[in-house]
């Protein structure tokens, strides 16, 4: 095990695998969020299922948290190693001459996303953990709201233009991170051979459509509450 993570290629493959998992998570997260625009009832049903189903809560959620932490820690290690290598051994990275600014600064777009996740957890995840695991209330209901509470809580959060502004800024960085990360991840697992153009197209589409979808949800609720 130590050998795998000690090799540069091992670290890159591990980084790519955690990235694939997170990209799949983003797709399902956006799909559920979009329900809040098109069908608040369905959004409430699905949110309650995701929030109370034991498989989701006790199997998928820990895997997700592990993937987020792993991706960040591994990214940080890769960054430090690359910086060292650039100083000493190779002249491969020649700044703007052969790579884009964002491909050389994945760590900074990554740190911005991490800061967003912290804010996001304060907004949604910590209150949820508090309600369920500390208060022991798994009902999904709250006084003064008919049916489940999730839609009301979401709309309430997005009534604040400052919060929506911070979220939208983070989604732009997410798009830039994905724009480089998507193809890079495929390259690390050897997936680009012979299909480079197609993957580049899918990567570009994914890195625009997913963040734009999140922007749409946040801005929609700002103006419709
Ligand atoms: C408009 C945009 C977004 C909305 C409305 C939104 C909404 C939510 C809500 C309501 C939860 C709480 C789920 C729960 O009950 O635990 C949540 C959890 C979470 N969100 Fe978002 N989210 C948005 C964008 C994002 C983005 C862009 C990311 C990642 C870069 C992200 C990452 C997460 C993570 C990691 C969790 C914890 C998942 C879990 O419950 O285990 N979210 N989000």
């Amino acid at each position: 095990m130590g050998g795998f993570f000690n090799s540069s290629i091992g670290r890159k493959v591990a980084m790519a695998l955690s990235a694939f998992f997170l990209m799949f998570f983003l797709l399902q997260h956006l799909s559920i969020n979009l329900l809040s625009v098109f069908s608040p009832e369905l959004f409430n049903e699905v949110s309650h299922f995701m929030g109370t189903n034991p498989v989701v809560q006790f199997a998928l959620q820990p895997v997700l948290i592990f993937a987020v932490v792993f991706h960040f820690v591994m990214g940080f290690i890769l960054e430090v190693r690359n910086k060292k290598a650039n100083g000493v051994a190779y002249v491969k990275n020649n700044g703007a001459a052969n790579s884009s600014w964002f491909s050389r600064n994945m760590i900074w777009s990554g740190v911005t996303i991490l800061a967003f996740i912290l804010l996001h957890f304060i907004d949604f995840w910590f209150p949820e953990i508090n309600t369920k695991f500390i208060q022991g209330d798994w009902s999904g209901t709250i006084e003064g709201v008919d049916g489940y509470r999730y839609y009301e809580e979401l709309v309430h959060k997005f009534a604040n233009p400052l919060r929506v502004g911070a979220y939208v800024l983070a989604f732009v960085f997410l798009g830039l991170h994905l724009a480089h990360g998507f193809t890079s991840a495929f390259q690390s697992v050897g997936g680009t051979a012979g299909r480079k153009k197609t993957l580049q197209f899918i990567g570009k589409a994914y890195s625009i459509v997913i963040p734009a979808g999140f922007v749409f949800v946040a801005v929609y609720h700002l103006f419709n509450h």
Side-chain angles (χ1 to χ4, degrees), residues 71-72 102 105-117 173-174 176-178:
H71 193 75
F72 177 70
F102 263 95
N105 291 282
M106 288 298 275
I107 188 77
W108 296 115
S109 50
V111 165
T112 309
I113 296 164
L114 197 72
F116 159 76
I117 290 181
F173 275 87
L174 177 66
L176 296 166
H177 195 77
L178 289 169

Side-chain angles (χ1 to χ4, degrees), residues 5-223:
F5 288 121
N6 276 332
S7 76
S8 164
I9 189 66
R11 280 192 294 266
K12 278 193 173 178
V13 169
M15 192 68 184
L17 294 179
S18 59
F20 289 137
F21 181 80
L22 292 172
M23 289 193 285
F24 179 74
F25 163 74
L26 279 182
L27 191 62
Q28 72 85 33
H29 193 16
L30 176 61
S31 309
I32 296 175
N33 287 350
L34 282 171
L35 292 178
S36 71
V37 170
F38 299 108
S39 171
E41 295 77 26
L42 199 52
F43 172 76
N44 269 338
E45 289 295 332
V46 175
S47 296
H48 189 67
F49 172 80
M50 295 299 280
T52 52
N53 183 281
V55 177
V56 177
Q57 287 295 303
F58 301 109
L60 294 183
Q61 185 162 260
V63 172
L64 173 65
I65 301 298
F66 174 79
V68 170
V69 173
F70 180 90
H71 193 75
F72 177 70
V73 171
M74 199 51 112
F76 199 75
I77 294 173
L78 277 171
E79 169 75 12
V80 171
R81 298 277 169 135
N82 284 345
K83 276 267 142 64
K84 267 195 201 151
N86 284 338
V88 194
Y90 23 46
V91 279
K92 199 169 153 231
N93 184 348
N94 189 15
N98 64 1
S99 60
S100 74
W101 189 87
F102 263 95
S103 70
R104 280 175 286 121
N105 291 282
M106 288 298 275
I107 188 77
W108 296 115
S109 50
V111 165
T112 309
I113 296 164
L114 197 72
F116 159 76
I117 290 181
L118 192 67
L119 170 67
H120 194 44
F121 275 20
I122 293 171
D123 283 347
F124 291 107
W125 198 59
F126 294 147
E128 201 64 32
I129 295 290
N130 177 41
T131 306
K132 288 188 295 209
F133 292 94
I134 299 174
Q135 319 275 337
D137 178 0
W138 292 76
S139 69
T141 58
I142 197 166
E143 248 183 66
V145 175
D146 282 341
Y148 290 131
R149 62 181 161 78
Y150 311 100
Y151 179 75
E152 291 297 326
E153 287 174 348
L154 180 111
V155 168
H156 177 74
K157 285 278 188 276
F158 287 98
N160 181 345
L162 282 180
R163 178 180 282 111
V164 172
Y167 270 50
V168 168
L169 188 68
F171 300 154
V172 171
F173 275 87
L174 177 66
L176 296 166
H177 195 77
L178 289 169
H180 174 72
F182 190 97
T183 33
S184 176
F186 273 99
Q187 224 150 44
S188 297
V189 293
T192 42
R195 292 173 284 180
K196 202 165 173 170
K197 281 258 148 24
T198 316
L199 275 177
Q200 260 166 0
F201 175 77
I202 298 173
K204 207 166 242 169
Y206 180 94
S207 63
I208 293 172
V209 170
I210 298 284
F214 283 120
V215 170
F216 170 67
V217 172
V219 172
Y220 177 87
H221 290 303
L222 174 65
F223 291 111

